[in-house]
Amino acid sequence: MGVIEETDLEQVTLALLDGANDRDPVVQEQVRKSILTLGNQQPDKVLSMCQDYLLKHPKLVVGHRVVILQTIELVVKSRIDDVSYPKIKSVIQLASDEMTKSKEVVPEWQQAASNILVAVGNKYINDIMEEILGKFQPGVLPHFFVVQTILGGVNLTNCIHFHFYIWLFLPPANTFPDRLMVFVLQRLENSNERNRMGSLAVLRHLINASTSIMETKKLLILASIRQPLADHSNKVKKRVVQVISAMAHHGYLELEGGDLLVRFIIQHCALPDTYHRGQRPPDPEEVTNEALRSMCDNTLHLFTTTVGRLTDVLWPMLLCYLTPNQYASATTPLCKSLILLANKKRAAQEASFIINFNAQGSSLPSQYILMIRLLVNAALPFRCRGHGAPSLSLLNALSPNIHPKAEPLWENEIPKMLSYLEESTDDSLDKKKWEESLLQMLSKTLAAIDDSQWTGQLAVEATRYLPTYNNALEEKRFLYRCIGVILQQCYNKELVRKQLQEILISTRHNDAIERTGVAMGIGLCASSHLDGTLEKLEEFGKSDAFRKASGIFGLLKDKNDVDVEKMKSTLILCYGYVALHAPEDQLLTRIDSDILQNISKNFNTKVLGIKVETKDLTMKLSLIHSVGLIAKAISQSVRKQGFLFSRKQELMGVMMDFIKAEPTDVMRTPVRHLVLTTCANLINLDPPLTENEIFDLLKTCLNGVYGLPTVDTPDKAKDEEALDPQQREVLYSDTFNALHELLRNVLVRDLSPDGLQSVFKHIESWLSSGQDHERERAVKTTAELLQFYLDNLSVKNLVTFHNLGALVGRLSPRCTDPNPEVRRAAIDCIYRLMYIQLRYEGFSLDYKDDSVEGLLDVREKLSNPDHSVLYKTCSELTKIISKRLPQQQLSTLLFMLFDGLVDSQSNCSRASSVILNTLLKNRGAGLQDLMTCALREMMLNGQSADAVAYVFPKLFSSLLVRLGSSVGVQLPKDLNSNSIISDRKTTNKINVINFDVCGVAVEALRILLGRAQLDAMTCALREMMLNGQSADAVAYVFPKLFSSLLVRLGSSVGVQLPKDLNSNSIISDRKTTNKINVINFDVCGVAVEALRILLGRAQLDAVMKPLDQEGAWDKMKDPQQHTTGVTLLSRAMAKHAGPRLPAIVEGLCPSLCNIYECQRITVTAFFSELLNHHVVTELMILDMLMNNMMERITDTCGTVRMLAVRGLGNIAVGSPEKVNKYAKELLAAMSSGMEEKDDPGKLITLEAMSGMSKILLYLDQKNVHLLVVYIFMKIKPFLENENDEIRCASIMLLGNLSKFGSGEPVFKDQIHNVLVSLLLHLSDPNPQVVKACKYSMRICAPIVGSEQISAMFQNHLLEEKGLHYGEFINDLTKYLIQDFPGMLNFYHITVIQFFKSNWAEIRASAAMFIGFLLGNLHDEHFSHMNMGSVTKGLVMLLQDPDPLVRVKAAEAMGHFH
């Protein structure tokens, strides 16, 4: 067609040639068809590519070569009249070479080549014969297939034209120099690698050995050498470099054309690596890029040092190669050579050392660009083979040429900087400090030069040079900073404004690194030009570039078109850096009016008069970063003057909202890191936060960070979203460092035991997490905080470290944690706590206590994972703690250790027991009363009742272990009883010598069993109902009993008693003869049985029958099916026991506010199903149920929220006439459910979409009209969800929603936005999704805006009718092109995005779609197509692991003509 770019055709053909030997025969056949299709359209082009492919891949497997040769044959056969004669000649040459390349007979290969000659011979017989006859050599038997071709396919009448050629050997050079030179130079034109290498070797020999004879041939040789310069073979290039080296020594490079040879050497000094570090070439004779580059480096060095005549050739010409990017990798050898040349000329005091940059016809870069280039090189000193040090050295050597006044400064500064670089590596270099030192040197240089005009010109040229670094953004970022420093020193305000305008307009705002660089540069400029910078930023913010974002369509535009948000992000960031660098005496008056106000304008957009906060991540990150910089700037300014930052609380609230909005199961963005850093800066400012505000801040930040998965947890996101492991590791490190900085800033405001406790209480719960990484984070954070506390503690008065016991009690059990990192960090915490206590006791900061220092030895022992070693080491640890812990701290310590007995880690609960035992032995004189009282208070205290019930099995098992370990243990006999009980008020004195330690555990066990009577109650209730005399009583209190048992059932699911209990020891005092076998006691089973008996006693057989049939009782006991069982129970009650429901519902309502998730789940499941039945409306309990469901959608438990959303959706089934009454609440609840972040399995999302679909069937137009687009935007992200059910539900919902969007242009646009997705999912692997697509597209058909497309949807997309997908898409693309030409760009870009779909069927359909679109496209519409992206995508699909995808990709490629 002539409209597809030639490069696109080349890429596609090359990809097809690569795939011609595909392992799947179906793919292979399609590839062949597509190449043939392309060849029939553009025969010369495709034949050339086939030839080049075979020539460039001499080691191609035979099967692959055969396929390509067969394709050439087919193209030639079908289009021989259209193939150019030169191309025919080259095809003949190729086929002849392929046929005779192997001396062995390989029939398949050679026959394919022979067939090409036969096909061409039908028209070009003479050319064929001339080629074949050339294969006959005197006295040599011809190749079998040469004869075969002549006999089998070529007309024999032409065989009489046999010609024989004999090689002539030329005489030596000295006898016939002209003839030999002509012969050698002609041979250079031969592109054969071996011929060319031999010719170059001879030429080099001639140049070196025949100086006088060759003198007149120099210009001829210079002209002839140009052809080998373009050779692609590194072996040839190596010989070329050797020839150039010889020519340099004999005066060739000074002649016209010699500069091309110098350029060749420099180009190859910049070669990229062939292999990664450590890899070796498979072919030992291969000349790698590395070897060739090293050779050129050495050659350039030799030119500089040993060929004196070249000094004036190379100086200053080599400077030309310093600034273009293509020579960046040659910077190091270039700089070294230029330094040698400069020093040589300077030492000889040659006038030519001083360069005239303005000389007429000069191609040299200006002194300004040279200075900038070398400075930027130095900023990343280890890139491009370590170009930093050579660049700085060259800058020093060039100083008189840059500016005479720079010379003394650089001679002093640069050697010190070089010395620092020599001692550094890429990893060890402090990059921030290094950049600052370079910028400082630049600033000093400009101050020393003190020439405003020179500085202004430097600013202009530096700004103009920015695009050079478009592909090297770190360098570009530094250049922006340099420009900022230059503008600081520039006194021409108009020039400053002009450069700022230039920078803002030309910035590529879509790139984060560039945005940061621009902001940094503009911030630096503001330190001298605050007013002008603020004016320019405000002016730019009001410019035309921003106006196109206004209106509602600005919010709905496709993401590929939007860069306004990125521009605003740049501006927001600029304001932050302006604040950071603004003069301290001018900043505070500008914060609100000029800086924060403009940031707010850019961050929030008004649509139809309503302020809408952006969801753009880039803007969010810029805002966070900018606020942090402003806070930092204010904190620096207020050192000299007071300031009350009135917007502090508001900004802290915004930061908290950002961190709460982050997903809890993954970290892909630096939002958390930046928020934490910003909060750390904000918290230092006045007014101080209230206690409640600090509490909320720490809770939010810790929850947002500690709960993240480990850094090495695989990210299941799409490739473009997921971070690589190194990026993820850096992000995690930055985030946790920022968290620690925030905690330190909070702590430093109240560096006291109370202040420490106020921070630690937020970390405390994470110490006993069931996740190793969460415990590790908590303990390491604690260790850091304690070190900070110790380092900054200033004890002016002797103070009691009153929470020492509590801290030690919480941390010491972690010293035996299964995670070795936790163990080591816990010891560090104890070590620091002990020294903090010593400081409070009055010891100096440098005091070392022998017993505390012993903890370091303990730390080493904890590396051993053996349990016996750990517990022994734990005992040693306790002895040290026991020695240093004050008596008054023991009480708190014991309470904490008792809590530790039920730690989630058995190692740590055992450690608590070991520590208690060791304390008994070492500090027994004060523990008797404390042990008993601590345990009694812990479990008898009303506040602990729930906790005891919750952890009953674990606590019971732990106490049994404790009981066993204390049998026979006694306190030391030499204790003085008076010392223990002297302060007791009771008259019952205990004889400590006879004190039975085991009794403490027995007492604890007795109290525990007294606290855990729930199962006994259930058993008693069951037996009561089995008694026939209780029928009337049961009937009377049925609603209350039903409610209680249902709640009890919810609490019992998955609960078991310990398996090692001796039943007699527990129930020996029972008076009944029916003893329960505790070992087989089923806690949940008892509750289910009691409920079943209750229904029977209430004569509700109609309820029990469906429950028995559907296995509901077993489902209720199964933790995985519990809610299903409860749903079945609720359904049966609604159908067969309606009148009893109001009282039951009333009895269950309080449990919805219970702290136990299990109870809330059970009751919500029951209520949810009730709403599925109209009986609740008849009984007038609908409002009560709906209100309860509304409250539960914000429950902390995800399962409860899911069930609540399900219940709200059920109203459409149970009471459809009430849907519009609750329209507002239902729509809000379903929308919220679709946005649910804390929903790992997407169950809430699924229920929300299903519920939304149900209620939309009954909602009035007026209730939905304004929300159609909003709901649509919620649905859109789920269309590609990996979960089949969610995908299906979202597509169904889209269809149901469309009836409300009829006649709305905005909704029509949205339908077109997802049209491609729906069309592709017609081939979804899940049949339910396919049905949903058909349904939605039939419903949406009238909205699309095309009668033909609407008819296609209605006629072909019938639910049970099969669909010929290829024919359907082919016809559809014709109508899309006809009716929506303006949308073609959007359609094809969207299709390309599906090339990376997780489903092979979708990828294949996307390829098919693109193929038909190209096949049906007219010339005038190709301007809408991004053929580069199409080509790249199809080439990628041709390498897809699934053969179906490869077939469709190859088929699509056949349309590239």
Side-chain angles (χ1 to χ4, degrees):
M1 290 183 186
V3 288
I4 293 178
E5 291 289 337
E6 192 169 307
T7 53
D8 294 323
L9 178 64
E10 288 175 359
Q11 287 183 53
V12 165
T13 307
L14 184 60
L16 288 167
L17 291 171
D18 283 336
N21 198 40
D22 193 280
R23 57 188 177 277
D24 188 285
V26 179
V27 180
Q28 194 177 115
E29 180 58 28
Q30 182 58 57
V31 166
R32 191 184 316 197
K33 285 180 182 177
S34 292
I35 298 176
L36 181 58
T37 303
L38 296 175
N40 285 336
Q41 294 294 327
Q42 299 200 28
D44 273 32
K45 184 68 183 175
V46 173
L47 287 173
S48 294
M49 291 200 67
C50 290
Q51 288 177 262
D52 290 345
Y53 192 87
L54 290 172
L55 293 172
K56 288 178 181 177
H57 299 83
K59 297 181 181 179
L60 212 60
V61 296
V62 169
H64 201 161
R65 298 190 84 83
V66 168
V67 172
I68 295 173
L69 290 169
Q70 288 171 344
T71 305
I72 293 174
E73 177 201 353
L74 291 171
V75 173
V76 169
K77 268 185 178 178
S78 60
R79 296 300 301 273
I80 193 163
D81 292 334
D82 301 306
V83 182
S84 66
Y85 180 69
K87 183 51 57 187
I88 288 291
K89 291 285 287 183
S90 64
V91 168
I92 293 170
Q93 177 72 50
L94 171 79
S96 173
D97 291 345
E98 289 287 322
M99 186 174 68
T100 59
K101 187 172 286 186
S102 172
K103 293 180 181 178
E104 303 294 326
V105 175
V106 186
E108 188 182 10
W109 176 13
Q110 291 150 355
Q111 186 64 59
S114 173
N115 290 346
I116 294 173
L117 293 173
V118 172
V120 175
N122 291 326
K123 185 173 181 181
Y124 296 98
I125 186 65
N126 291 334
D127 297 280
I128 295 291
M129 291 309 303
E130 184 179 344
E131 174 61 32
I132 290 179
L133 295 179
K135 299 295 181 182
F136 286 87
Q137 301 292 326
V140 178
L141 191 68
H143 193 284
F144 171 80
F145 265 91
V146 171
V147 179
Q148 167 87 357
T149 302
I150 293 174
L151 297 177
V154 179
N155 191 331
L156 288 173
T157 59
N158 291 281
C159 291
I160 57 172
H161 301 291
F162 279 85
H163 298 284
F164 301 94
Y165 299 94
I166 301 173
W167 281 97
L168 298 175
F169 295 95
L170 294 169
N174 289 332
T175 311
F176 303 104
D178 291 336
R179 289 178 61 189
L180 181 58
M181 182 56 59
V182 170
F183 172 75
V184 170
L185 296 181
Q186 283 179 342
R187 297 277 290 179
L188 281 180
E189 296 176 9
N190 189 326
S191 61
N192 179 275
E193 182 180 85
R194 289 186 177 276
N195 283 344
R196 202 164 251 178
M197 287 172 65
S199 301
L200 287 166
V202 172
L203 181 60
R204 178 189 175 205
H205 175 75
L206 289 172
I207 291 170
N208 283 329
S210 311
T211 308
S212 57
I213 298 172
M214 304 301 293
E215 195 64 36
T216 59
K217 309 287 188 296
K218 282 184 177 181
L219 293 176
L220 177 62
I221 292 171
L222 272 170
S224 300
I225 198 72
R226 292 190 180 190
Q227 273 197 318
L229 291 180
D231 200 298
H232 296 297
S233 164
N234 275 6
K235 291 181 180 178
V236 173
K237 288 178 180 178
K238 179 180 176 181
R239 293 292 174 90
V240 170
V241 173
Q242 292 170 340
V243 170
I244 292 173
S245 183
M247 293 169 78
H249 285 84
H250 295 286
Y252 287 70
L253 269 59
E254 294 99 300
L255 302 176
E256 185 178 351
D259 58 329
L260 293 178
L261 305 185
V262 175
R263 182 189 301 170
F264 179 86
I265 296 297
I266 295 169
Q267 280 175 336
H268 291 83
C269 287
L271 280 178
D273 289 346
T274 305
Y275 296 98
H276 295 296
R277 190 173 297 173
Q279 287 184 318
R280 293 185 178 181
D283 179 5
E285 294 184 6
E286 179 186 352
V287 178
T288 64
N289 278 5
E290 292 89 334
L292 184 60
R293 186 177 65 207
S294 176
M295 185 179 183
C296 290
D297 287 352
N298 293 332
T299 302
L300 184 60
H301 180 72
L302 289 172
F303 284 177
T304 311
T305 54
T306 62
V307 187
R309 63 202 302 170
L310 284 182
T311 299
D312 289 325
V313 173
L314 300 177
W315 179 270
M317 183 257 282
L318 288 185
L319 290 172
C320 295
Y321 298 102
L322 275 178
T323 53
N325 269 346
Q326 64 262 40
Y327 304 115
S329 292
T331 301
T332 296
L334 274 171
C335 286
K336 289 178 178 177
S337 291
L338 281 163
I339 291 165
L340 289 169
L341 292 168
N343 291 341
K344 186 190 298 185
K345 285 190 168 288
R346 200 170 185 182
Q349 298 184 341
E350 293 184 22
S352 59
F353 169 66
I354 300 300
I355 301 164
N356 181 6
F357 292 100
N358 299 317
Q360 190 171 2
S362 171
S363 59
L364 291 173
S366 70
Q367 64 267 46
Y368 308 104
I369 295 300
L370 279 173
M371 176 179 167
I372 286 297
R373 181 77 189 196
L374 294 172
L375 266 179
V376 173
N377 287 352
L380 293 112
F382 298 102
R383 288 202 179 166
C384 296
R385 301 195 284 153
H387 65 185
S391 294
L392 276 178
S393 297
L394 178 59
L395 194 61
N396 196 16
L398 288 173
S399 57
N401 284 296
I402 303 298
H403 197 287
K405 290 184 179 179
E407 186 176 0
L409 175 69
W410 289 356
E411 282 184 355
N412 181 51
E413 295 286 331
I414 289 179
K416 291 186 284 188
M417 299 177 80
L418 290 171
S419 177
Y420 176 71
L421 264 190
E422 284 175 13
E423 297 167 2
S424 304
T425 64
D426 194 14
D427 293 328
S428 68
L429 181 72
D430 184 335
K431 295 176 176 59
K432 185 176 180 183
K433 178 182 174 183
W434 175 247
E435 283 194 13
E436 290 300 328
S437 65
L438 285 170
L439 293 172
Q440 193 174 6
M441 186 184 82
L442 173 59
S443 182
K444 287 180 181 178
T445 301
L446 296 174
I449 292 172
D450 192 23
D451 182 337
S452 183
Q453 186 175 351
W454 195 93
T455 303
Q457 186 62 29
L458 178 63
V460 170
E461 297 210 21
T463 307
R464 199 179 296 147
Y465 195 61
L466 280 166
T468 310
Y469 292 111
N470 280 347
N471 295 318
L473 292 173
E474 288 293 338
E475 287 87 344
K476 193 173 186 181
R477 178 185 59 78
F478 181 73
L479 179 51
Y480 277 121
R481 296 185 73 191
C482 289
I483 293 170
V485 170
I486 296 166
L487 292 176
Q488 277 180 0
Q489 304 275 356
C490 187
Y491 304 120
N492 184 335
K493 292 187 178 182
E494 188 54 40
L495 185 143
V496 171
R497 287 175 57 85
K498 186 178 178 183
Q499 296 313 302
L500 288 176
Q501 176 73 7
E502 186 74 24
I503 288 169
L504 287 167
I505 286 175
S506 62
T507 299
R508 299 191 308 173
H509 297 272
N510 286 334
D511 191 277
I513 297 175
E514 183 151 349
R515 286 195 301 273
T516 305
V518 169
M520 286 177 159
I522 289 176
L524 287 165
C525 172
S527 68
S528 297
H529 307 282
L530 181 59
D531 290 337
T533 304
L534 287 172
E535 286 170 14
K536 179 51 65 180
L537 289 176
E538 188 170 2
E539 178 186 313
F540 184 67
K542 294 176 180 177
S543 64
D544 291 342
F546 289 87
R547 290 176 188 165
K548 62 181 179 180
S550 61
I552 192 165
F553 292 102
L555 293 179
L556 301 178
K557 71 183 93 173
D558 185 77
K559 63 182 180 182
N560 294 317
D561 301 328
V562 175
D563 59 2
V564 173
E565 284 82 359
K566 304 297 184 290
M567 294 169 71
K568 290 183 176 181
S569 299
T570 306
L571 267 184
I572 290 169
L573 208 52
C574 284
Y575 281 111
Y577 279 101
V578 166
L580 183 67
H581 294 288
E584 292 183 1
D585 58 342
Q586 299 177 42
L587 171 66
L588 299 180
T589 57
R590 308 296 182 86
I591 285 294
D592 279 329
S593 58
D594 293 325
I595 294 177
L596 284 175
Q597 187 174 344
N598 280 306
I599 288 177
S600 180
K601 282 180 187 175
N602 284 294
F603 188 72
N604 297 301
T605 308
K606 282 195 173 181
V607 178
L608 303 179
I610 302 169
K611 189 168 81 169
V612 178
E613 185 177 295
T614 182
K615 290 188 177 180
D616 183 78
L617 175 64
T618 305
M619 286 183 71
K620 188 187 292 187
L621 293 173
S622 295
L623 175 69
I624 300 166
H625 193 178
S626 192
V627 171
L629 294 170
I630 290 167
K632 188 175 179 182
I634 294 172
S635 62
Q636 292 170 351
S637 295
V638 296
R639 294 172 190 164
K640 299 179 181 178
Q641 51 191 313
F643 181 70
L644 208 63
F645 189 27
S646 59
R647 300 184 71 174
K648 173 181 172 179
Q649 277 80 356
E650 174 195 346
L651 292 172
M652 290 288 272
V654 172
M655 295 302 116
M656 291 303 95
D657 288 342
F658 285 157
I659 209 166
K660 286 174 186 174
E662 285 296 287
T664 56
D665 58 344
V666 70
M667 179 161 64
R668 298 192 190 103
T669 72
V671 167
R672 288 179 179 85
H673 161 223
L674 291 175
V675 165
L676 293 167
T677 302
T678 297
C679 289
N681 288 328
L682 281 170
I683 204 165
N684 294 326
L685 306 179
D686 288 330
L689 297 181
T690 66
E691 188 175 335
N692 286 341
E693 287 170 338
I694 291 176
F695 182 92
D696 291 341
L697 166 70
L698 295 185
K699 180 181 177 183
T700 301
C701 293
L702 286 168
N703 289 350
V705 175
Y706 276 175
L708 288 168
T710 57
V711 68
D712 53 0
T713 301
D715 189 342
K716 296 178 182 177
K718 296 178 182 177
D719 291 345
E720 61 268 20
E721 293 178 0
L723 303 177
D724 64 46
Q726 187 177 2
Q727 288 175 318
R728 197 182 306 134
E729 194 170 329
V730 169
L731 183 56
Y732 266 70
S733 175
D734 289 345
T735 302
F736 278 95
N737 287 340
L739 174 65
H740 294 160
E741 179 64 21
L742 170 63
L743 294 173
R744 286 193 292 268
N745 285 2
V746 172
L747 181 56
V748 79
R749 296 180 75 88
D750 183 10
L751 205 65
S752 68
D754 288 334
L756 179 61
Q757 189 61 34
S758 69
V759 176
F760 179 72
K761 67 185 176 186
H762 291 280
I763 304 171
E764 191 171 8
S765 62
W766 296 93
L767 292 173
S768 53
S769 165
Q771 299 292 325
D772 282 8
H773 63 278
E774 291 178 357
R775 298 195 307 281
E776 181 181 334
R777 290 166 181 171
V779 181
K780 286 187 171 178
T781 299
T782 305
E784 286 220 15
L785 287 177
L786 291 173
Q787 186 62 53
F788 176 79
Y789 191 95
L790 180 60
D791 291 343
N792 292 274
L793 181 60
S794 176
V795 181
K796 297 177 181 176
N797 302 308
L798 294 184
V799 178
T800 302
F801 190 12
H802 61 78
N803 46 342
L804 175 63
L807 291 167
V808 171
R810 278 282 179 253
L811 292 163
S812 53
R814 302 261 74 83
C815 294
T816 61
D817 194 277
N819 184 338
E821 291 294 322
V822 174
R823 296 200 295 269
R824 286 190 283 271
I827 282 287
D828 291 340
C829 290
I830 303 296
Y831 177 84
R832 290 160 191 175
L833 281 170
M834 294 297 104
Y835 271 113
I836 292 170
Q837 171 61 23
L838 287 168
R839 293 279 288 121
Y840 276 123
E841 289 177 9
F843 290 93
S844 63
L845 184 61
D846 57 354
Y847 171 75
K848 295 294 180 187
D849 183 272
D850 291 341
S851 60
V852 177
E853 289 299 307
L855 288 171
L856 300 178
D857 296 330
V858 172
R859 188 180 192 274
E860 296 306 313
K861 293 177 184 177
L862 289 178
S863 300
N864 191 328
D866 183 82
H867 286 190
S868 59
V869 175
L870 287 180
Y871 298 137
K872 183 179 178 183
T873 309
C874 188
S875 182
E876 293 176 26
L877 164 69
T878 312
K879 290 174 185 176
I880 297 171
I881 294 172
S882 175
K883 184 175 179 182
R884 294 290 351 152
L885 196 72
Q887 178 72 25
Q888 65 270 26
Q889 298 288 333
L890 286 173
S891 164
T892 318
L893 175 60
L894 285 180
F895 274 107
M896 296 299 106
L897 291 173
F898 273 119
D899 268 2
L901 289 173
V902 290
D903 195 278
S904 63
Q905 305 300 313
S906 57
N907 274 24
C908 298
S909 60
R910 180 69 189 273
S912 298
S913 179
V914 170
I915 295 169
L916 281 168
N917 276 333
T918 309
L919 282 172
L920 274 170
K921 294 175 184 176
N922 289 274
R923 300 285 289 269
L927 297 184
Q928 173 201 337
D929 292 333
L930 287 174
M931 285 280 283
T932 307
C933 294
L935 188 57
R936 183 181 291 113
E937 288 188 26
M938 181 183 79
M939 290 192 290
L940 290 181
N941 185 342
Q943 294 177 344
S944 69
D946 291 334
V948 172
Y950 181 68
V951 299
F952 169 75
K954 291 181 180 176
L955 190 55
F956 191 84
S957 301
S958 297
L959 283 172
L960 282 179
V961 172
R962 175 74 186 95
L963 178 60
S965 64
S966 60
V967 173
V969 176
Q970 293 183 335
L971 291 182
K973 293 183 179 179
D974 56 351
L975 289 179
N976 182 335
S977 61
N978 292 330
S979 66
I980 302 174
I981 58 172
S982 58
D983 58 344
R984 286 180 59 115
K985 296 177 181 178
T986 177
T987 56
N988 282 333
K989 299 197 175 184
I990 298 172
N991 186 341
V992 177
I993 295 174
N994 296 322
F995 176 67
D996 180 8
V997 179
C998 182
V1000 176
V1002 172
E1003 169 74 358
L1005 198 55
R1006 185 188 67 75
I1007 297 170
L1008 175 64
L1009 290 172
R1011 294 296 301 132
Q1013 296 179 13
L1014 291 173
D1015 291 317
M1017 181 199 77
T1018 308
C1019 292
L1021 185 58
R1022 185 194 65 164
E1023 297 204 13
M1024 181 191 79
M1025 289 190 296
L1026 284 173
N1027 184 344
Q1029 299 175 352
S1030 65
D1032 293 339
V1034 168
Y1036 180 71
V1037 294
F1038 175 82
K1040 289 185 178 179
L1041 287 176
F1042 184 92
S1043 303
S1044 299
L1045 282 173
L1046 184 59
V1047 171
R1048 177 73 193 116
L1049 169 60
S1051 306
S1052 309
V1053 177
V1055 174
Q1056 291 181 336
L1057 290 183
K1059 295 180 180 179
D1060 56 351
L1061 289 181
N1062 182 327
S1063 60
N1064 290 330
S1065 66
I1066 299 177
I1067 59 172
S1068 58
D1069 58 342
R1070 288 182 55 142
K1071 295 178 181 177
T1072 178
T1073 56
N1074 270 338
K1075 298 196 175 184
I1076 299 172
N1077 185 346
V1078 178
I1079 295 174
N1080 298 318
F1081 185 74
D1082 181 0
V1083 180
C1084 187
V1086 170
V1088 169
E1089 187 185 354
L1091 187 59
R1092 197 170 184 277
I1093 293 167
L1094 174 63
L1095 293 173
R1097 300 303 290 158
Q1099 300 180 350
L1100 290 174
D1101 295 340
V1103 173
M1104 294 175 67
K1105 184 178 179 181
L1107 296 178
D1108 291 338
Q1109 290 173 343
E1110 294 171 335
W1113 305 110
D1114 289 335
K1115 287 184 172 73
M1116 285 184 227
K1117 290 190 287 184
D1118 183 351
Q1120 303 302 318
Q1121 302 184 78
H1122 174 69
T1123 55
T1124 305
V1126 173
T1127 300
L1128 292 172
L1129 173 63
S1130 178
R1131 186 178 303 160
M1133 290 293 290
K1135 287 181 179 179
H1136 306 293
R1140 299 176 187 259
L1141 287 175
I1144 291 172
V1145 169
E1146 188 177 350
L1148 288 172
C1149 280
S1151 297
L1152 285 174
C1153 300
N1154 202 302
I1155 62 170
Y1156 300 117
E1157 287 183 359
C1158 52
Q1159 295 182 8
R1160 300 201 304 278
I1161 289 170
T1162 302
V1163 176
T1164 309
F1166 190 81
F1167 282 6
S1168 175
E1169 176 58 24
L1170 288 181
L1171 285 164
N1172 228 348
H1173 303 272
H1174 196 264
V1175 68
V1176 298
T1177 299
E1178 297 165 5
L1179 295 169
M1180 293 187 292
I1181 55 174
L1182 177 67
D1183 288 346
M1184 185 191 305
L1185 291 171
M1186 287 295 289
N1187 290 337
N1188 277 299
M1189 292 297 98
M1190 290 295 182
E1191 290 175 2
R1192 288 306 101 206
I1193 60 174
T1194 58
D1195 196 282
T1196 55
C1197 172
T1199 305
V1200 173
R1201 296 198 300 277
M1202 179 271 290
L1203 292 167
V1205 172
R1206 178 186 293 173
L1208 292 171
N1210 283 346
I1211 191 177
V1213 178
S1215 305
E1217 74 279 7
K1218 299 290 184 181
V1219 167
N1220 282 291
K1221 175 183 176 181
Y1222 294 101
K1224 182 178 178 183
E1225 293 84 353
L1226 288 169
L1227 287 169
M1230 299 305 159
S1231 299
S1232 174
M1234 285 191 283
E1235 285 186 324
E1236 181 66 60
K1237 295 285 191 289
D1238 186 13
D1239 184 19
K1242 294 297 177 188
L1243 298 176
I1244 302 173
T1245 302
L1246 181 59
E1247 288 294 346
M1249 287 193 289
S1250 300
M1252 182 73 87
S1253 272
K1254 288 191 279 189
I1255 65 173
L1256 283 174
L1257 296 174
Y1258 300 101
L1259 281 170
D1260 294 341
Q1261 177 82 11
K1262 64 180 181 180
N1263 288 323
V1264 187
H1265 175 68
L1266 294 175
L1267 297 170
V1268 172
V1269 173
Y1270 173 78
I1271 298 171
F1272 187 95
M1273 299 301 282
K1274 303 275 186 198
I1275 302 170
K1276 194 174 175 184
F1278 298 108
L1279 297 178
E1280 306 307 321
N1281 196 282
E1282 292 183 5
N1283 184 305
D1284 293 344
E1285 291 181 297
I1286 290 177
R1287 214 159 60 253
C1288 187
S1290 64
I1291 294 169
M1292 290 293 291
L1293 176 54
L1294 190 150
N1296 290 329
L1297 184 66
S1298 63
K1299 72 174 184 178
F1300 296 98
S1302 181
E1304 291 289 334
V1306 177
F1307 191 75
K1308 177 184 173 183
D1309 290 345
Q1310 296 308 314
I1311 291 296
H1312 278 275
N1313 277 346
V1314 298
L1315 184 59
V1316 167
S1317 179
L1318 293 175
L1319 288 168
L1320 295 181
H1321 279 288
L1322 285 171
S1323 60
D1324 195 281
N1326 184 281
Q1328 295 306 314
V1329 175
V1330 174
K1331 284 184 179 180
C1333 282
K1334 288 180 175 180
Y1335 167 78
S1336 285
M1337 292 171 76
R1338 289 200 310 273
I1339 301 297
C1340 296
I1343 302 174
V1344 172
S1346 165
E1347 291 183 8
Q1348 292 96 327
I1349 292 176
S1350 180
M1352 281 190 71
F1353 287 2
Q1354 300 291 355
N1355 296 333
H1356 296 287
L1357 300 181
L1358 302 177
E1359 190 165 318
E1360 301 302 329
K1361 185 179 178 181
L1363 177 69
H1364 192 292
Y1365 188 75
E1367 289 181 6
F1368 177 78
I1369 292 296
N1370 188 19
D1371 292 342
L1372 183 73
T1373 53
K1374 295 174 184 175
Y1375 294 134
L1376 288 175
I1377 294 166
Q1378 172 188 304
D1379 295 345
F1380 305 109
M1383 293 288 289
L1384 291 176
N1385 178 263
F1386 172 76
Y1387 289 147
H1388 90 279
I1389 287 175
T1390 307
V1391 175
I1392 290 170
Q1393 292 170 357
F1394 284 91
F1395 286 179
K1396 294 183 179 180
S1397 170
N1398 293 332
W1399 300 282
E1401 294 86 349
I1402 303 296
R1403 298 196 299 275
S1405 296
M1408 203 185 309
F1409 193 116
I1410 281 290
F1412 287 130
L1413 192 64
L1414 289 175
N1416 293 319
L1417 210 58
H1418 302 299
D1419 289 5
E1420 66 269 19
H1421 294 314
F1422 265 88
S1423 60
H1424 297 295
M1425 306 292 284
N1426 183 341
M1427 292 307 299
S1429 297
V1430 173
T1431 303
K1432 184 179 177 182
L1434 288 175
V1435 170
M1436 176 188 75
L1437 290 185
L1438 197 58
Q1439 300 164 6
D1440 195 276
D1442 194 293
L1444 172 66
V1445 180
R1446 300 200 297 277
V1447 166
K1448 296 304 178 185
E1451 186 179 337
M1453 287 175 168
H1455 294 288
F1456 271 68
H1457 50 75

